[in-house]
Amino acid sequence: KEKEATMDIYFATAFDGGTYDGTTIGGGVGFNYFFSRYLGLGLDVAVMDDKDAGILPTARFIARYPFEDIFNMSASYAPYVYTGAGMAIDMKEPVIRLGLGQEMRWNEKFGVFTEIQYAWIGEDDSEEAADDEDSQGWGGAWMTRIGLRLGF
């Protein structure tokens, strides 16, 4: 619906895409506001267990296509795409994300969602990074998220 606000609580995993060493897990919270039925903005913060990934705040633009009253019930289903940008706080590097998601709601107040995204992690231009032989430039990682979506 239009002018809808939601809160996300999720579990996340990130898979090695050249930036992380292996797999890291974590979780986060997010807030979304849909100013139209199809378009919205979101803010989220993921906290990962990897010392390099750390805290990842992101702002994102979301485009969705909701289907209502599926299976002759009051449930709704909405596939969506999103893109966003933020900062990997512990690495002091910019992050750009592109992802796909799906949401299933049983009513306006409660639903679940899953997402997969690719995050490009930018190069740190600080003097400390210039002296670091391990500095990789733009790398990246796949991230999956699964969680609860609560409506207001």
Side-chain angles (χ1 to χ4, degrees):
K1 69 180 185 174
E2 281 188 45
K3 298 183 180 173
E4 173 185 50
T6 61
M7 182 176 101
D8 298 342
I9 302 168
Y10 59 85
F11 170 78
T13 58
F15 302 94
D16 186 8
T19 299
Y20 303 127
D21 294 327
T23 301
T24 182
I25 61 172
V29 296
F31 297 93
N32 307 301
Y33 179 75
F34 283 86
F35 47 85
S36 78
R37 178 177 164 89
Y38 304 104
L39 301 174
L41 299 173
L43 293 171
D44 69 81
V45 177
V47 178
M48 307 302 285
D49 73 343
D50 185 281
K51 67 177 178 56
D52 291 330
I55 301 171
L56 301 163
T58 306
R60 61 187 188 162
F61 176 78
I62 308 161
R64 67 179 178 181
Y65 194 86
F67 297 93
E68 295 182 7
D69 298 324
I70 58 172
F71 308 121
N72 293 324
M73 302 183 322
S74 61
S76 63
Y77 173 77
Y80 55 93
V81 297
Y82 61 91
T83 186
M87 178 67 72
I89 300 294
D90 293 354
M91 293 189 291
K92 299 178 185 156
E93 296 179 358
V95 176
I96 298 172
R97 294 182 172 177
L98 180 63
L100 300 171
Q102 61 184 351
E103 165 186 20
M104 182 71 159
R105 286 209 204 159
W106 287 269
N107 57 48
E108 290 184 8
K109 304 290 184 195
F110 181 76
V112 295
F113 71 94
T114 61
E115 295 178 352
I116 186 165
Q117 65 182 351
Y118 191 79
W120 289 270
I121 314 294
E123 184 173 354
D124 186 349
D125 293 330
S126 69
E127 289 181 27
E128 295 167 356
D131 295 335
D132 184 0
E133 294 176 9
D134 294 330
S135 183
Q136 299 177 358
W138 282 93
W142 287 98
M143 181 182 279
T144 60
R145 305 195 304 184
I146 184 168
L148 301 176
R149 183 156 290 152
L150 309 172
F152 298 108

